[in-house]
Amino acid sequence: MDKIILEGGVPLNGTVAVSGSKNAALPLMAASLITPGRHVLHNVPDLRDTRTMLKVLETLGTRWSREGGTVYLDTSELTGAEAPYELVKTMRASVLVLGPLLARVGLARVSLPGGCAIGARPINYHVRGFEQLGVKTVLEKGYVEASAQGRLQGNVVYFDNPTVTGTENLLMASVTASGTTVIKNAAREPEVGNLIDMLVSMGAEIEGRDSDRLTVHGVERLAEAEATIIPDRIEAGTYLIAAAAAGGEVTVQGCIPDHLPSLVEKLRGTGIQIKEHDTSFTVTSPGWTEGSRNLRSVDIRTMPYPGFPTDLQAQFMALMTTAEGVSVIHETIFENRFMHVAELQRMGADIKIDGCTAIVTGKKRGELCGAPVMATDLRASASLVIAGLAAEGITEISRIYHLERGYENMAEKMRKLGARIKVVRE
Ligand code: EPZ
């Protein structure tokens, strides 16, 4: 089982380049199914999850190739409309082929993703939205079978909660529907905006980008796509938090500062310095010096964009284990996104959980110690790396395939910043 070994107590210094966004690459790759033809996507990160999406597209008949960050997708031939359980169980975002397949052939059979470490992760909002567009759905044997007689019919779709992939699926299903579709309580994440830009460049007519109300005027067909994946704001935020925890001066380059309004506010609240530039941040942190603690505790509540991202909650919690005072962390998006707490406690962190609230009491330097820990999900893995950077001594993180789902070459990027970190392949 591959693992990461790192020695804490070393500050980070230098520049780290942000890769393309995993959560933008996945819907944009799926969108290539809408139109038969050749599509080009630039700045696609090479991750476990993007490789899984390529496998899903391949099972549907897509031929692809990669040159550096550019992926070429030929979806001229569709040989099937089924995303099998073997693939969907490894990556829930495979459900993103539902919308494109319904738009393309009016048919899709996709395994229900099942739960994952952070929650039940149902897709009822997606299914109900498709039904509003005239799609018949049957849930049986762990699969959702969706079918439509001819073109989908535009309609009003309302989501009880903003759902990111639900919004993306309904956008992709409705762009070639007959008539107009209005998506109410839509997700406003930047990754949704990246998808809208790609669909519009293909000829779709979509109003309301970045708002919670999207209006889609159906068109007959879309053209082939050439699009660029936006920088990964969660990866950028992870490195900002890592620099805050380890101390030092780090420039996080090739990101979009506007995509992290809440995190920057919260990090400034801890007392560290963050300078924003057009496409980068420079963070300067005293880290965790002997005796005193230079970081103040800050409370967070995860919310849909532009609120504090749930995908940065575990990482920020690791930082708060080293801060002065008590931090109250509310996780409002997922029902079980505290899997990292038990592992942080094994390193000496003082964290109490009450439902979806965690109370973190910061420790003195030397009280948070490296230990063998286990990654349970993607962002929990990043949280353990951050805690390991700040802790005294050696931390060994097992099951790092979770980390490799969403972070391109994290160990190498951290090592270039001065971290004493290596991957041990077993
Ligand atoms: C996307 O997941 C992201 N994944 C997640 O990132 C992210 O945590 C999440 O949005 C929230 O920002 C991708 O974009 C590929 P939701 P998604 O639908 O779309 C409930 C990572 O670490 N819900 O916005 O699956 C759901 O259970 C991953 O990169 C329903 O009840 O999340 C959750 O409580 C993890 N029924 C809430 O809504 C539905 O049909 C928000 O989920 C859909 C969602």
Side-chain angles (χ1 to χ4, degrees):
M1 184 77 78
D2 298 347
K3 58 186 171 187
I4 275 180
I5 298 176
L6 69 121
E7 181 186 348
V10 178
L12 299 180
N13 286 289
T15 297
V16 59
V18 174
S19 301
S21 162
K22 166 180 83 80
N23 290 348
L26 297 174
L28 273 69
M29 291 164 82
S32 69
L33 290 169
I34 298 172
T35 303
R38 294 165 181 264
H39 309 271
V40 184
L41 292 179
H42 301 292
N43 199 31
V44 180
D46 186 12
L47 304 165
R48 192 178 284 272
D49 274 10
T50 49
R51 291 195 287 272
T52 300
M53 181 56 87
L54 287 170
K55 279 191 201 135
V56 172
L57 295 177
E58 230 171 47
T59 58
L60 299 170
T62 301
R63 289 188 301 279
W64 62 272
S65 63
R66 176 189 268 275
E67 282 171 32
T70 297
V71 169
Y72 299 89
L73 298 157
D74 183 342
T75 60
S76 310
E77 302 297 320
L78 205 54
T79 58
E82 175 169 329
Y85 176 63
E86 297 67 45
L87 285 175
V88 179
K89 74 179 178 184
T90 64
M91 186 186 67
R92 181 182 180 286
S94 310
V95 297
L96 283 165
V97 301
L98 274 166
L101 286 172
L102 287 169
R104 169 94 174 249
V105 291
L107 182 68
R109 185 169 190 271
V110 174
S111 163
L112 287 167
C116 71
I118 64 177
R121 310 294 298 275
I123 59 167
N124 54 320
Y125 300 162
H126 303 228
V127 171
R128 197 162 67 221
F130 293 138
E131 288 171 347
Q132 291 292 93
L133 303 188
V135 174
K136 183 171 169 298
T137 65
V138 175
L139 302 186
E140 66 171 15
K141 299 188 185 112
Y143 278 76
V144 56
E145 302 211 355
S147 59
Q149 300 302 327
R151 279 178 83 182
L152 276 60
Q153 304 299 318
N155 201 343
V156 175
V157 171
Y158 174 78
F159 289 131
D160 294 350
N161 289 318
T163 157
V164 175
T165 49
T167 300
E168 291 162 346
N169 245 337
L170 267 294
L171 275 169
M172 294 188 282
S174 62
V175 286
T176 55
S178 65
T180 295
T181 297
V182 178
I183 303 174
K184 295 182 175 179
N185 204 14
R188 300 166 53 194
E189 273 68 2
E191 295 74 34
V192 176
N194 201 186
L195 174 63
I196 288 173
D197 292 346
M198 172 177 167
L199 293 171
V200 167
S201 76
M202 295 165 78
E205 292 177 19
I206 303 171
E207 296 154 16
R209 184 190 193 280
D210 294 338
S211 81
D212 63 359
R213 180 191 177 99
L214 298 172
T215 301
V216 183
H217 302 288
V219 294
E220 283 292 319
R221 67 181 53 74
L222 296 186
E224 295 170 331
E226 175 151 15
T228 299
I229 307 298
I230 57 173
D232 193 315
R233 63 192 167 98
I234 303 302
E235 184 195 21
T238 302
Y239 284 100
L240 287 174
I241 297 170
E249 181 167 293
V250 170
T251 294
V252 177
Q253 200 169 40
C255 61
I256 302 176
D258 280 355
H259 286 173
L260 284 166
S262 177
L263 174 69
V264 172
E265 192 57 37
K266 292 295 177 182
L267 282 175
R268 285 191 171 126
T270 68
I272 65 168
Q273 198 189 62
I274 300 187
K275 288 200 195 87
E276 278 185 41
H277 314 292
D278 287 349
T279 57
S280 66
F281 289 104
T282 298
V283 57
T284 307
S285 165
W288 204 13
T289 49
E290 278 309 321
S292 71
R293 281 182 302 277
N294 295 279
L295 297 178
R296 292 190 294 269
S297 292
V298 166
D299 298 344
I300 61 167
R301 170 185 289 270
T302 64
M303 294 297 281
Y305 190 88
F308 192 93
T310 175
D311 292 348
L312 287 173
Q313 175 259 108
Q315 299 92 312
F316 198 83
M317 185 187 289
L319 176 66
M320 289 296 100
T321 65
T322 72
E324 173 81 54
V326 175
S327 162
V328 179
I329 294 178
H330 291 281
E331 171 54 61
T332 72
I333 307 291
F334 290 110
E335 66 270 27
N336 187 35
R337 202 165 199 175
F338 285 151
M339 301 289 282
H340 43 286
V341 169
E343 299 305 306
L344 292 173
Q345 286 168 334
R346 298 189 61 247
M347 298 173 72
D350 179 350
I351 307 170
K352 293 177 183 57
I353 296 181
D354 175 9
C356 281
T357 301
I359 317 285
V360 185
T361 304
K363 301 299 280 282
K364 289 194 180 67
R365 178 156 190 170
E367 292 175 332
L368 198 65
C369 303
V373 290
M374 187 174 74
T376 51
D377 59 88
L378 167 56
R379 305 307 175 181
S381 326
S383 165
L384 297 176
V385 170
I386 290 169
L389 289 171
E392 295 290 299
I394 303 293
T395 296
E396 286 192 9
I397 304 170
S398 59
R399 301 193 179 184
I400 58 166
Y401 59 85
H402 288 292
L403 189 75
E404 292 168 341
R405 294 188 52 170
Y407 289 98
E408 209 174 28
N409 306 323
M410 178 182 268
E412 188 185 320
K413 290 188 179 184
M414 286 288 186
R415 195 168 41 249
K416 283 189 180 149
L417 292 174
R420 292 192 192 129
I421 182 171
K422 64 180 177 184
V423 175
V424 173
R425 297 281 174 202
E426 291 181 344

